[in-house]
Amino acid sequence: MTTDSRSRIFAAIAKLGSANFVEIVLRIGRVKLLAMLFGPVGIGILGLYTSIIQTFASAAALGLGESSVRLLAGHHQNPVAVWRVQAVLLIAGGLQALLVALMLLLFSDQLAAVFFDVAGISQPIGVIVPLLGAGLVLTVLGQFMRYILQSQRRISSLAWAMGFSAALGTTAMITCILVLGTSGIIYGVVALLLCDNLVKAYIIFRASRLSVRRLLRFVLSAEFWRKWWDLFQMGYAIVLSVSFALGAMLFLRAMILDKLGLEYVGYFQAGFLIATVYLMYLISAMEAEFTPRLSQTVKAQAPVDGIINEQMQILLAIGGPVLIALIGATDLVLTLLYDASFRPAVEMLQWMLLGSLVLLPTWPLRFLFITTKQAAVINTVTIVRNVTFVAVSWTLFAPFGLVGVGIAFGSFTLLVAAILIGFSYRLHHFRFESASLWFYAAFLGISVMVMGLARWDSIYGLCAAAVLAPAMGLICLRQITHGKHG
């Protein structure tokens, strides 16, 4: 790893990390307010709405966003080609999302029977479903605009958009909740997404010289649909896997809702957010810098071992200490982020955090298979992950309750990591550097130890995490910056 390479990676992650920090703090504020006002029931309602929106938005996107990153990275020196891909992404993507939103309206009674009637939500279905449809469209467009900024490596613009839109959206969401109570949750979700879209659209279109006549001529041409077909062919496998994953999570929430009620959906939502949201922010920060660079490396048919190993080590050095700290301080974290009534989620959350650490260094391998268009690997991983998660959760739910869901989360992460590592070795002859293996083994071992201490006594776990998490972070960062690899 060269000094310039390390500096570029850390600079990109630092900029997006700062924006992510702002987003995380504001998200904590929103959720904390919701927990204080309405308890686990309010968090459960929020979880149902966001899960429905994300599941159907993923299906509506058809994988165009992920495909566009590769295509835009390959045409970064051709402004006309870039403009055309962006136009296809936003216009076709918007039409796709509108069609799926109309399907939601057509099947609103079935949606109400599965979720809202069981949850006891009294808000009219004629209000909820159109707002869910609007949230779906805004989610798709927001994701696509993020991909446009990301593919152009406009890291500073993307970071600014994330931070400012989060602040604006949080203000709007809190206003909706304070004025309307639980009925304002769905309005707040849509307002948050709308603010995100407006800020990103301002940044993108301010820098573009868009001619309406030129745009209409392109949309009505055969080339527009050829470009759409190219993006769809590259991304349909991704949308199948992502939609399957989100659908499994929606099914899991429906199972918890049916067996235990909305309050326990809130416990699950609280734990799942803590276990995955920080990780997703870190992965997003990595993806913005890493995916275009990986695409160019693959296109040049250069070896990928070095670039993947350096990304693994950076992910572990930054994310590993945070996950160790969260495992040791789970009880405290749930109380601070929500309130003391969420303590039934403690043990489930510890298992989920351990699973997140198992998966953390495998993300660069996942991006390798996406970049090289090896959809069969991604689909295999997705099917194994979600079938294992749902099946083990279903099996362990009766005897262990929410803890069984946490154990199931840990189970599927082991299988997914093994599959990704196995396929990367077989298809790309990928090999771990000794530093990557050392980081991985050390973080896993320390996490298991801290979790054991925390289960024995929460104070022991907290003290161990307070010492070991920063120590491991400093050791790993020192190793990376000195560039000593095996």
Side-chain angles (χ1 to χ4, degrees), residues 165-362:
S165 64
L168 196 63
T170 296
T171 303
M173 186 175 188
I174 288 175
T175 302
C176 292
I177 292 170
L178 291 176
V179 172
L180 300 173
T182 54
S183 298
I185 295 175
I186 182 61
Y187 289 100
V189 169
V190 174
L192 185 69
L193 294 168
L194 179 60
C195 291
D196 178 67
N197 275 253
L198 290 174
V199 173
K200 287 176 181 172
Y202 171 76
I203 292 173
I204 290 172
F205 292 108
R206 184 186 62 172
S208 65
R209 299 172 182 175
L210 185 64
S211 164
V212 176
R213 182 181 298 178
R214 179 186 176 194
L215 180 62
L216 287 174
R217 190 162 55 243
F218 176 59
V219 170
L220 296 174
S221 69
E223 186 182 358
F224 178 89
W225 298 106
R226 282 198 298 270
K227 286 284 186 186
W228 176 86
W229 181 247
D230 289 342
L231 289 171
F232 173 73
Q233 284 184 306
M234 294 167 68
Y236 77 92
I238 298 171
V239 73
L240 288 175
S241 62
V242 173
S243 298
F244 187 80
L246 292 171
M249 295 306 301
L250 190 58
F251 173 81
L252 201 56
R253 286 181 173 89
M255 182 185 76
I256 296 171
L257 177 64
D258 182 58
K259 302 292 183 183
L260 297 176
L262 189 56
E263 184 177 0
Y264 279 81
V265 176
Y267 295 145
F268 172 79
Q269 178 72 9
F272 189 75
L273 280 176
I274 294 172
T276 59
V277 166
Y278 167 74
L279 181 64
M280 289 300 101
Y281 279 131
L282 182 60
I283 298 304
S284 296
M286 176 203 80
E287 182 185 11
E289 193 280 334
F290 177 65
T291 304
R293 193 159 52 97
L294 179 63
S295 297
Q296 291 174 2
T297 303
V298 169
K299 188 176 180 179
Q301 298 182 333
V304 296
D305 282 17
I307 188 175
I308 290 177
N309 270 286
E310 72 181 20
Q311 205 69 45
M312 283 180 169
Q313 292 161 29
I314 290 171
L315 279 174
L316 283 168
I318 297 173
V322 175
L323 290 171
I324 289 174
L326 289 173
I327 290 172
T330 305
D331 196 344
L332 179 63
V333 168
L334 279 169
T335 303
L336 289 175
L337 298 186
Y338 299 94
D339 62 41
S341 65
F342 284 80
R343 283 179 177 166
V346 167
E347 194 171 350
M348 177 201 72
L349 176 55
Q350 287 173 335
W351 280 101
M352 286 184 167
L353 290 167
L354 184 62
S356 293
L357 185 57
V358 171
L359 281 184
L360 182 60
T362 66

Side-chain angles (χ1 to χ4, degrees), residues 39 103 109 114 195 203 363 450 482:
M103 289 179 60
D109 291 338
V114 174
C195 291
I203 292 173
W363 277 95
V450 170
H482 281 69

Side-chain angles (χ1 to χ4, degrees), residues 12 32 57 76 105 110 121 132 146 178 193 211 265 290 371 381-382 389 414 417 446 450 457:
K32 179 71 174 179
H76 67 282
L105 288 173
Q110 289 81 355
I121 297 173
L132 289 173
R146 179 189 175 93
L178 291 176
L193 294 168
S211 164
V265 176
F290 177 65
T371 302
V381 168
T382 303
F389 191 19
L414 289 171
I446 290 172
V450 170
D457 190 305

